[in-house]
Amino acid sequence: MSAIKAPRGVRDILPDESWKWAFVLNTTMEIAGNYGYSEIHLPVFEHTELFSRGIGETTDVVEKEMYTFTDRGGRSLTLRPEATASMVRAYLQNKMQNGIQPAKLWCAGPMFRYERPQKGRYRQFWQIDFEALGTSSPMVDVEVISIALDLFNSLGLSNLDVVINSVGCPACRPQYREKLKNYFQNRFNDLCHTCQSRLDRNPLRILDCKNENCREITEEAPDIYSSLCGECKDHFDMVLKGLSSLGIHYQMDKRLVRGLDYYTKTAFEILSGELGAQNAVCGGGRYDNLSEAIGGPDLPGVGFAAGLERIVLIMEQQNCNLGEEPHIDVYVIAAEKDVDVEVMSLVSDLRTAGIKADMDFMCRGMKAQFKSALNKSASHVCIVGGDELSRGVVTVKNLGRSEQSEIARPEVVSFIKQNI
Ligand code: AMP
């Protein structure tokens, strides 16, 4: 029997990658602080209803992609496929409407979707999520888009495209749906099977179908702009004005509808040419009806989610600075057997002084220990042996300069502190 492996579409983030994640998350925390967003930790599972009602019954996420299970108490629970619905639930449940508005919150963590795994698409993946709840000001839409761009710029990402659209609201979208339905009805036989079934249920989703035939058909499809109600039109104009005033370039794309039903007015994505088929590094928009869909009061909101795996993928491809790879300052080498206690005690003294120190725990020879020191990028090694011990000294070697000296044991820590 072979050892059990992780399920398909699930990755281990190993130490050679995890430090890059930490860099991205630390940068996110800094940017969040600059914009007045506070971190929130949300549960990984919620009542299934939160997502089926919030995201929408006819969306791909709810229809095909949720990890839903019944717990031992007979409740239907779902591993969160995204964070926005949970964020709104947390706002309502914790009565954040009584605090300063808008509530500006961010979180990061794993999301779960039963999708076909491929490069940049996993079944467990991390999202960085920013949400501003409690205001319908178009300027907060602008703020949210500029946070995403500020984050990506701070991480050194280049060649990004901001794509934006308005998906209207319940007052004007039905009229647009009808226009679209009529248009697609005339091309029904050319649509893929999925889009044929979408025609009655969710014709807007045909607009972002990846099938080539459908894409061709959608090129000529009516756009939403002439159908927007006055409020949605004004809102969209203000968002575009705000973006321009910040020098943010954008492309309007009438086919950008996003996969989730809750979007109203602004919908946007930030795309990277580096990612191939899964080219969205971040997606978001306004969702003024989400709260009501999950049984809450009228609560406008806007936000975005960015995929952490995709950010790191782009950063690697674009050779961005990913911060400092973890290293050790000093590796303490045992020159012979039976000096483990002395080695451990020196390692401990170094660590207490804030110096990154490590040692061998495998009783290996000196050559192997030197190799470990180099692998861990140590700048110095300390060699502890019987002869040195009897004389009360330790050999300290600067690996970069190949210099070595004997230092009295009580002076070793301060000597190294001065030299690293
Ligand atoms: P969405 O919630 O679908 O709008 O996705 C927002 C962002 O999350 C996307 O732009 C991706 O960066 C990331 N993302 C979504 N689904 C996946 C997935 N299955 N695997 C990896 N990243 C994903």
Side-chain angles (χ1 to χ4, degrees), residues 128-131 144-145 147-148 151-152 268 282-285 302-306:
I128 294 168
D129 195 76
F130 278 75
E131 312 287 350
V144 155
I145 296 172
I147 298 172
L151 172 62
F152 299 151
F268 72 94
C282 133
V302 60
F304 74 84

Side-chain angles (χ1 to χ4, degrees), residues 61 81-82 113 115 120-127 258-260 262-263 269-270 275 280-284 305-311:
V61 169
E82 54 110 54
R113 293 185 195 173
E115 289 190 280
R121 188 162 74 190
Y122 312 100
R123 290 184 173 169
Q124 174 175 326
F125 57 97
W126 272 54
Q127 281 186 341
R258 317 254 313 115
L260 318 176
Y262 54 56
Y263 285 110
E269 278 184 352
I270 300 180
L275 287 171
V281 58
C282 133
L308 189 45
E309 286 84 354
R310 292 190 196 175
I311 293 175

Side-chain angles (χ1 to χ4, degrees), residues 286-304:
R286 180 163 276 287
Y287 44 84
D288 293 346
N289 302 110
L290 172 55
S291 167
E292 281 163 304
I294 62 168
D298 176 25
L299 172 69
V302 60
F304 74 84

